[in-house]
Amino acid sequence: GYEVLDIVDSGTAAIAVSQQHKPDLVLMDIMLQGEIDGITAAEHIGRGNQTPIVYMSAYGDDATVQRAKGTAPYGYLVKPFNPQNLRVTVEVALEKHRLDTAAQTTQSNHLKTAQQAVQTLSRRDANTQLLNEQGLQDCFQSLLNQHSAIPKGNVGKIIPLLYLRLDSFDRLYGYGIEACYHVVRRVAQILEQTIGAN
């Protein structure tokens, strides 16, 4: 029920075919012709394409199995084996790889979301959720870039800038830091309600 893309007898050829076809699964013998054995070839294939490998070998000794385990294979069949064992091993390996790939995608998406959240938080004041100094610099630079893109002579080439200062703010320190935070939050709310979110 599966399509066999190619059958090769050397490790070098196995690497080349895997790079060319990018198969869903590689069935790898350990004893191959040429200088590269199946385990070394599997290291190259797994590293380059993240293709799942199932070993098929007449060797089941500890040393060979330990070397093979270092490549994180999806299965290891000791010859002779029957077609049913091969079919089950292939199906299990493909399903495991599908689940691993899905988990990696989910993890990658979570990481991207977390990075975006961190980037957003790094540009916002934790108390007011308004842009902090870095966020304001980025925003102002964006406005300057838009401003410089407007052709000369066009109307509306003004960048309004409002600078607001709270007089005698230091007097609030006597009431504690939470009181200071509360006043700043309230001023931010009034500004947003009056001027708008932008």
Side-chain angles (χ1 to χ4, degrees):
Y2 297 103
E3 179 186 357
V4 178
L5 296 173
D6 208 340
I7 299 172
V8 297
D9 55 11
S10 74
T12 306
I15 294 168
V17 166
S18 294
Q19 289 172 342
Q20 180 184 357
H21 293 295
K22 297 188 176 21
D24 296 322
L25 179 74
V26 171
L27 300 175
M28 180 71 74
D29 201 337
I30 290 177
M31 297 305 293
L32 300 173
Q33 295 178 13
E35 297 178 6
I36 299 176
D37 70 0
I39 296 174
T40 305
E43 287 173 349
H44 288 283
I45 293 168
R47 191 166 50 237
N49 304 328
Q50 302 216 332
T51 304
I53 307 284
V54 171
Y55 289 110
M56 303 185 304
S57 176
Y59 298 91
D61 59 282
D62 289 345
T64 304
V65 171
Q66 285 303 318
R67 274 192 67 217
K69 280 169 59 178
T71 64
Y74 279 69
Y76 194 110
L77 286 168
V78 179
K79 299 176 185 177
F81 51 81
N82 63 46
Q84 177 66 10
N85 287 348
L86 177 60
R87 186 185 68 78
V88 170
T89 301
V90 166
E91 290 188 11
V92 169
L94 288 172
E95 179 62 14
K96 183 178 184 312
H97 185 253
R98 186 190 68 75
L99 293 172
D100 287 350
T101 302
Q104 286 174 357
T105 302
T106 301
Q107 188 176 16
S108 177
N109 290 339
H110 286 323
L111 183 60
K112 284 178 188 172
T113 303
Q115 287 172 335
Q116 289 171 349
V118 167
Q119 188 175 17
T120 300
L121 288 172
S122 69
R123 299 177 72 242
R124 297 263 171 197
D125 176 74
N127 186 38
T128 63
Q129 297 307 307
L130 296 177
L131 292 175
N132 60 15
E133 186 176 353
Q134 181 62 52
L136 284 171
Q137 285 179 358
D138 294 345
C139 184
F140 197 65
Q141 186 61 53
S142 176
L143 285 171
L144 287 175
N145 292 342
Q146 292 173 17
H147 173 76
S148 63
I150 298 173
K152 293 190 186 250
N154 283 20
V155 182
K157 292 180 62 173
I158 296 172
I159 299 176
L161 181 64
L162 174 66
Y163 177 77
L164 182 70
R165 181 173 181 268
L166 300 180
D167 287 334
S168 306
F169 184 75
D170 54 345
R171 292 183 186 177
L172 288 172
Y173 290 130
Y175 296 99
I177 194 69
E178 193 50 51
C180 299
Y181 286 160
H182 177 74
V183 170
V184 172
R185 275 196 303 269
R186 188 68 191 111
V187 170
Q189 289 169 358
I190 293 169
L191 278 173
E192 285 195 299
Q193 290 165 2
T194 307
I195 300 171
N198 290 335

